[in-house]
Amino acid sequence: MKKNLSLTKHLGIALLAGAMILASASCSNKAENTTLANKTDSLSWAMGMSLAQTAKNGIYDFNNQIVLKAFQSTLKGEKQPLDEKAYNEACQYIAFLVAKHDRELNTQQQTNSEAKQKEAFEKLLAQNPNIKKAPEGYYYEVLREGHGPKATVGKRINFDFTNTNMYTGEVVDKSYGRQGSITHNLGKPMFQGLIYAMQLMNAGSKYRFYFPFNLIGNANGVPPFTPMIYEIELNEIYND
């Protein structure tokens, strides 16, 4: 039977997870009596844990007895009760369920994260009256005003930065003492919030920016749904 490769990941999680849960229920030895002798054993156990945890948050009420039987039968290479058409139709429906589940989970996570972020920003503003809100939705604080030319998109600039997880206070990345000042064309590539923010700055200035997660995107090292603090010192703007 031809594999539907676009669904391999989802099917592997959904079907194998159910199989492993049922298999674990029939195992006489308790987990604490299991010896993991080497790295392969440890990785195998970790995979089992991951699959079981996925199944516990299942997308559908699968019949675990049939899941296990199908899993074992396929491994043995036996003739299957589903023909290729029925198999592909079932795969497509499972993919639909997985996508629906992922959308619902993401929506719930975003709703919860927006409420948490709103509370964090309200607390921040109450503690520091010097923080202002920009029209684009981020917040900023002027630590030192510069008197050089203003940064614009496309200009080659030199700057230093420290970015911090707003919730934990953990430094995610920085240029100071690590990689040296950054020389870069403003906007290529940068996440949208930073492009907006740096255009407020003149050469010689130092600002602290507070970005909501919707303006950060997939910036390196930033956990999902996490607002970030960027402290930026704009050293120079070049005229080339």
Side-chain angles (χ1 to χ4, degrees):
M1 182 177 291
K2 187 185 299 181
K3 290 184 179 180
N4 189 329
L5 296 179
S6 65
L7 304 179
T8 298
K9 177 181 177 182
H10 295 315
L11 287 173
I13 290 174
L15 299 180
L16 186 54
M20 295 189 74
I21 280 182
L22 191 61
S24 67
S26 65
C27 183
S28 59
N29 292 326
K30 292 185 177 180
E32 59 265 29
N33 297 328
T34 302
T35 300
L36 304 178
N38 51 47
K39 185 175 181 180
T40 298
D41 290 351
S42 298
L43 290 175
S44 300
W45 191 270
M47 175 174 282
M49 287 180 63
S50 177
L51 292 169
Q53 288 165 356
T54 300
K56 284 168 67 177
N57 297 320
I59 60 169
Y60 189 75
D61 187 20
F62 290 105
N63 184 325
N64 284 346
Q65 293 283 351
I66 293 178
V67 168
L68 180 57
K69 188 172 182 179
F71 178 66
Q72 294 172 331
S73 173
T74 302
L75 285 179
K76 293 176 182 177
E78 296 174 346
K79 180 176 176 60
Q80 302 298 306
L82 286 177
D83 60 23
E84 185 171 340
K85 179 181 179 183
Y87 168 76
N88 286 329
E89 288 175 351
C91 288
Q92 290 170 7
Y93 186 60
I94 291 174
F96 164 77
L97 292 174
V98 169
K100 180 174 180 288
H101 176 265
D102 288 349
R103 286 195 303 270
E104 291 172 350
L105 181 61
N106 186 73
T107 298
Q108 186 59 51
Q109 287 177 332
Q110 181 161 341
T111 299
N112 294 341
S113 298
E114 285 173 349
K116 180 181 178 181
Q117 178 176 259
K118 181 181 178 182
E119 182 179 349
F121 275 118
E122 288 175 349
K123 182 177 179 180
L124 180 71
L125 293 171
Q127 293 174 340
N128 191 340
N130 294 321
I131 295 175
K132 302 175 183 178
K133 185 176 182 180
E136 295 83 1
Y138 65 90
Y139 298 81
Y140 66 97
E141 179 182 3
V142 179
L143 303 180
R144 184 182 70 240
E145 193 63 86
H147 301 288
K150 186 174 287 291
T152 56
V153 172
K155 281 284 188 180
R156 192 163 64 95
I157 59 177
N158 179 274
F159 64 97
D160 282 287
F161 76 97
T162 300
N163 70 326
T164 306
N165 185 314
M166 187 168 162
Y167 291 144
T168 66
E170 177 186 3
V171 174
V172 176
D173 197 8
K174 62 180 180 178
S175 63
Y176 299 100
R178 182 180 300 180
Q179 60 192 33
S181 299
I182 308 297
T183 299
H184 191 76
N185 285 349
L186 178 55
K188 294 185 178 181
M190 287 181 173
F191 63 83
Q192 191 60 56
L194 198 57
I195 296 173
Y196 290 144
M198 292 193 73
Q199 292 182 79
L200 290 180
M201 302 180 71
N202 296 77
S205 61
K206 186 175 184 179
Y207 281 37
R208 185 178 293 129
F209 298 103
Y210 305 84
F211 294 112
F213 58 76
N214 62 296
L215 289 180
I216 295 173
N218 297 318
N220 290 337
V222 178
F225 302 116
T226 303
M228 299 295 293
I229 303 172
Y230 272 73
E231 191 167 295
I232 297 177
E233 191 168 10
L234 183 55
N235 302 318
E236 190 170 357
I237 299 175
Y238 302 100
N239 290 319
D240 51 14

